[in-house]
Amino acid sequence: MKTKELDAAFLDALKDIYYAERQILKALPKMARAAQSEQLKDAFKTHREETEGQKERLEKVFELLGKRAQGKTCPAIDGIIEEGSEVMEEYKDSPALDAALLAAAQAVEHYEMARYGTLVAWAKTLGMDDAATILAETLEEEKKTDSLLSDLAGSEVNQNAVAAA
């Protein structure tokens, strides 16, 4: 009984992150257009390409499970993306825009890391080693992106927000 329940939770979480990745794919080009820093624009564009690959990996996991790839509405990611949209509006033409965009992007990354970390652990517990390997690859990409964003904040974006004030 417990395994069946965890199977269901795993599938729900998989649908959740699939929905999230599809929403992120829509949001990243808007964030890239809004960014003032060329490095931040490039980071958003690069992450969009990575996200395409992550979506494809999720589709492979669904295939391993014998399930159709489908999303399940995720209010959490919808809220995080909405905050990013609000940042673009509230800080438009502000020297703090890039810092605020970067913070919004890191909120997305942290959500993804939490979700993928859980999925990897559950896949291992359920004996889904192939799925765990695929999901772990994406988890590592998300960690790398988060680190890149942190480095960008520390090296350029945050200082520019203060210097322009």
Side-chain angles (χ1 to χ4, degrees), residues 107-128:
V108 170
E109 292 309 306
H110 291 194
Y111 175 81
E112 289 177 299
M113 289 186 300
R115 190 55 85 188
Y116 280 110
T118 297
L119 284 166
V120 169
W122 286 353
K124 287 178 181 176
T125 299
L126 293 165
M128 299 176 185

Side-chain angles (χ1 to χ4, degrees), residues 92-109:
K92 187 178 181 179
D93 301 323
S94 164
L97 174 63
D98 283 352
L101 279 172
L102 201 146
Q106 282 194 288
V108 170
E109 292 309 306

Side-chain angles (χ1 to χ4, degrees), residues 133-145:
T133 300
I134 292 168
L135 295 164
E137 184 179 348
T138 298
L139 177 58
E140 289 309 309
E141 275 184 1
E142 299 297 2
K143 289 178 181 178
K144 183 179 160 192
T145 298

Side-chain angles (χ1 to χ4, degrees), residues 47-147:
H47 191 54
R48 187 178 192 292
E49 292 169 16
E50 286 178 349
T51 302
E52 285 284 357
Q54 293 164 356
K55 181 177 143 294
E56 290 170 11
R57 276 189 223 116
L58 287 170
E59 290 165 355
K60 286 180 188 174
V61 174
F62 278 107
E63 189 176 311
L64 287 172
L65 298 174
K67 303 285 184 185
R68 180 176 68 85
Q70 68 180 57
K72 174 183 171 186
T73 301
C74 171
I77 201 66
D78 286 342
I80 292 169
I81 290 173
E82 177 59 31
E83 283 181 15
S85 295
E86 288 172 8
V87 160
M88 285 186 269
E89 187 60 36
E90 290 176 23
Y91 290 90
K92 187 178 181 179
D93 301 323
S94 164
L97 174 63
D98 283 352
L101 279 172
L102 201 146
Q106 282 194 288
V108 170
E109 292 309 306
H110 291 194
Y111 175 81
E112 289 177 299
M113 289 186 300
R115 190 55 85 188
Y116 280 110
T118 297
L119 284 166
V120 169
W122 286 353
K124 287 178 181 176
T125 299
L126 293 165
M128 299 176 185
D129 295 335
D130 291 342
T133 300
I134 292 168
L135 295 164
E137 184 179 348
T138 298
L139 177 58
E140 289 309 309
E141 275 184 1
E142 299 297 2
K143 289 178 181 178
K144 183 179 160 192
T145 298
D146 182 56
S147 181

